[in-house]
Amino acid sequence: MMAKQAILLLGVGLASAGVIYPVPDPYRWDESFTVEMPQIDDEHRGLFNGILLLERENNEHNLKDATIKYHDHFTFEEGLFKQTMSDEYIADHLGKHTDFLARFDAWTSPVPEAELTWAKNWLVQHIKNTDFKYVDLLPHHVPKPYNWEDSLEVFYHRLDDEHKQLFDHLREVGHTPESTQHLSDLKFKMRAHFDYERGFFCNSETYHDCEEHSKKHEIFYKRLYAMENPVPIGEVDWAKNWLVQHIKNTDFQYKFKLNTYHHEVPRPYVWQPYLEVYYQRLDDEHVVLFDAIRDSVEHPEDQAKYDYLYKTMVDHFEYEQSEFLKIPNFDEYSQDHINKHTNFLAKLKAASVPLDCDFINYVEDWLVQHIMNTDFAYRGKMMHEVPEPYIWEPSFMTFYKQIDDEHVKLFDCIRECSEHPSDEAAFSTCKSLLRMHFDYEESEFCKVPDYDCYGHYLKHYNFQTKFQEAHTPLSAEVTTWAKDWLAQHIKNTDFAYRGKLFLRRHYVVPDPYVWDESFLVNIKQLDDEHVGLFDAVREVEAHREDQAVWDKMVDLFNEHFRYEEGMFTTILDNKHNIAEHRGRHVGIMNTVQGAVVPITEEITEFVKNWLAQHIKNTDFDYRGKMPEIFAVPEPYKWDRSFAVFYPDMDNEHKPLFTCVADLEKTPEDATLLASCLKSYVDHFVHEQKLFLESATYADVDKYQHINKHNAFLATMRGLSTPVSQKWIDFAKNWLTQHIHNTDFRYKDKMPHHVADPYVWDESFQVYHTRLDDEHVILFNLMQELGENPDDVDLLNKNRDVYRDHFDYEEKQFMACGEPCDADAHKKKHDIFFKTLTWLPSLSHTP
C-alpha cells in the first residue's frame, strides 16, 4: 500500500515536470533509453542493473556498488553537459542529481521496497525527461589515445597538418609532464598555429567570426602559457578536450570558406585520389574534367577541344547540381555552389582560342580549389536512390570481398524482414548478421591511422539501438527506414574507407576478358604491355592444348615484369613498396610454373583474376610516382633545360652529351670511346665527392645516385667498337632521364665554392638592392671575424647584423610563402643563428 502511495505521489510531482513514462519490468535498460552516446548508455544500463541487483539481493555489498555507480555517473555526465548546455539547464540538472543523492545516500541495508520503487521510477523519468534534452548537444568525443583523426579534418592541408602536430605535442606533454622541452614546443606551436590560421580566417570573404574566433584563441593561450612543469594531468586533459571541441565547434565554421587558402594543384595535371568526393559518377566526371583541361592546355589553339571542355563542364555542373539540391537543409550552400558554377562558366564562355597562359592557369587552379573548397562540403551528405526490389547491386561495391559479401546478406535479410514482418526467426537472423558485420567492419577500419573510427562506430551504434528496439510484427516505417539507412550508409560512410583498409580490394574481372581504360596506369609502354597480357590470357583460353601459346603468355609476363620492375625501382623515398611488388610477381610465376597442357579453366580463371586485382591493387600504387619521361634532345646536345645551376656540374655535363653524339657518328673510334668513358668516370667521381659532402642531400639519395652511376658504367666498360646503335640509344636516354630525375634532386643541396678571401661577388647577386648591400656587409664581417676569432665585440656585431638582416629578409620572403619555400628558408636562418649564438661556448670547450 505504501509503495502504491509513493508511486502516486511521485507521479503527481513528475506530471508537472513532463511526461510520465512506464517503468520496465524486469527493471532493465533497453534501447528506448538511448541518448546516442555509448558510454553514457552503458552507464545508464549499469544504474538500472544496480537497482535490479538490490531488488534481488538486498544487501550491503550491492548497495555499496550501486552508490559508487550513481556517484561516478553523475560526475562524468555533469562534466559533459556543463561544457555545452545553458545555465538554466545545468542548474536544473544539477539540482535533480543533488536531490536524488541526498535521499539515495541516506539508504541503509536492507533498502525498503518503497525506496527502491522510488529510485526505479526516478531514473526512468529522469533519463527521458531530462537527459534526452542533451542528445546531440554534448561535447564531441575526445580520441584515446590522443591522436588526430579525419573526423577533425578541415580540408586545408597545412591547417590539418598543424592540428596533427598540436595533438602530438599535447600527447607528449601528457606522457612526460615534467619535460620543459615538450611544454615549450607546445606553447610555440600553438602560438604559431593560431597566428597562421588567423591570417586566413580573418581575410576570408565569407567567414565573419574573426574577432570571436581570435578571442577563443587568446583565452586558451593565456591559460596554456601559464602552465609550468610538471604540468598537472587535469590541465593536460583540459587542453586536449579544448582542442577537439574548438576544431569541431569553431574551426569547422570556416570549412570551405577560406578563399585565400591555396590548395596544391597536382603536377602533372591529373586527378588524384585526395580529390575524391566518394560518389563514383562525380569522381569519374572530375577525372574527365582534368583530362579535358589538360587536353586544352596542350592544344591551346584547338577550338574543338575547348568546345568539348565547355560542354563537359556544363554537363557535369547540371548533374552535380541535381544531386546536391536533394540534400535536406542545404539551401544556402546549394545557391552559393550554383553561383560559383555560373560565374565560372561565364568566364569559360567569354574566353577564346588560342588560350593564353594566365587563363589556362586560372582554369586548372579553379577546378582544384573548387573541389576542395566547395564540393567537399557535400561529401557524406548526398541522397542516394534506394533500389527496388531491395537487392544489392555493384554501385554499392566497396571492393573488399568479405565486406561486399556481407552487405549482400544485409540487403537480403532486411528485404526478407520487410516481406515477412511477423517472422521472428528472420528478424533475429537479421539482427545477428548486422551485429557480426559491424563487428568485423569496425575491426578493419579502426586499424587505419587517422580514420574516424569512433564516428563510424557511432553510426552503427545508433542504428543498432533503434533496430534492436523494434518488435515483430515490424512496421513498414521501421523496414523502410532500415532500407534507406543501409543504402545511404554504405555510399556516404563506408565509401570513405575504400582504398584505405589493410585488405586487398577485390575488383570485378571483365567479361569478356578485354583490357579497358579502368586499368590505365598512365605510362604508355606499361599500359600497352598490360593490353598484351590480357590478349595473351584470352589466347590461352582459346587454345588450351597449345604449349607454344602458353609459353608465349609466360614469356610476355616475365618480360613485362622485368621492364616494370626496372621502372618502379626508380621511385624514391619509399613511396612504393618495391619488395612487396616484386614478391607478387615472383608469386604468380611460381604458381603457374609447371602447368601442363591442356591448361585447365581453373588456371586461366586464376590468372585472369590475379592480373585484374594486381593492376588495380598493386600497379595503381605507382601511378604518378614514376619519374617523368623526358624527350631525348635532337640534335643530341646539352641545353639550359639540363642546368643544375652548379657551374662545374653543368660544364661537365656538356661533354657527356657531345661524346655520345660523336660516338653515334663514328662508332668504330676506340680512342673516342675510351675518352668518353673517362669523361663519365671523372664527372661521376667529382659529382659524388660534392654530393657526399652535402648535409642536406639525403643518404638514401646519395646511395641510389652512386648505384645508378655504377650501373651505367658497367654497361659502358663492357663495350667494344663498333659501338652498337642500341647502346647509343640507351646512353642518350639514360643521361637525359638521369639528369632530370636524379641530378635535379641535388639542386640547392650541393656545397658551392667558398671564396678565400671571403668577399662577395656578382655570382651572389639576388637583384634586390638592400639585400645585396647587406650581403656584402655580411661577407666583410665574417671575413673580419675569421681574421680576429678572439674578438668578442666583433662576434657580437656579427650576431646583431646577421639577426637584423634575417629579420628584414624573412619579412620579404615569408610574405611570399610556399612559392619561395619560406618555411625551409627560415629554418636555415634559425639553424645558422643558433650556431652563431653558441660560438663562445664552443670555442672554450677543452
Side-chain angles (χ1 to χ4, degrees), residues 785-825:
L785 185 60
E787 295 168 355
N788 303 278
D790 296 323
D791 190 329
V792 176
D793 293 332
L794 186 57
L795 173 60
N796 286 332
K797 185 177 181 181
N798 266 270
R799 289 173 179 154
D800 292 342
V801 176
Y802 271 88
R803 180 71 277 161
D804 290 344
H805 168 70
F806 288 166
D807 287 345
Y808 173 75
E809 187 178 47
E810 286 166 11
K811 286 180 183 177
Q812 313 310 310
F813 66 66
M814 290 304 284
C816 169
E818 288 185 19
C820 297
D821 202 14
D823 291 342
H825 195 155

Side-chain angles (χ1 to χ4, degrees), residues 237-249:
D237 288 343
W238 167 80
K240 287 179 176 180
N241 180 66
W242 183 92
L243 182 59
V244 171
Q245 309 311 321
H246 180 75
I247 291 173
K248 291 198 171 185
N249 292 324

Side-chain angles (χ1 to χ4, degrees), residues 363-383:
V363 172
E364 288 184 327
D365 184 71
W366 185 91
L367 182 59
V368 174
Q369 309 310 317
H370 181 73
I371 291 173
M372 299 190 77
N373 286 331
T374 307
D375 291 355
F376 273 21
Y378 63 59
R379 291 209 301 192
K381 295 185 175 72
M382 291 286 204
M383 302 303 293

Side-chain angles (χ1 to χ4, degrees), residues 27 45-58 62-63 65-67 69-70 100 104 107 111 115-121 123:
Y27 193 64
R45 185 181 288 107
L47 302 186
F48 274 78
N49 290 341
I51 300 298
L52 180 64
L53 288 174
L54 264 177
E55 273 195 309
R56 292 179 173 175
E57 295 184 45
N58 200 333
N62 286 339
L63 174 59
D65 284 350
T67 302
K69 286 179 181 177
Y70 274 84
F100 175 84
F104 182 80
W107 286 2
V111 181
E115 287 297 287
L116 291 174
T117 301
W118 163 79
K120 288 163 66 176
N121 199 54
L123 182 59

Side-chain angles (χ1 to χ4, degrees), residues 292-310 351-355 360:
I293 290 172
R294 192 173 65 253
D295 212 11
S296 276
V297 168
E298 293 169 356
H299 305 90
E301 73 295 335
D302 193 321
Q303 183 67 49
K305 292 184 184 297
Y306 188 64
D307 290 343
Y308 171 75
L309 168 62
Y310 182 81
S352 59
V353 297
L355 304 175
I360 284 170

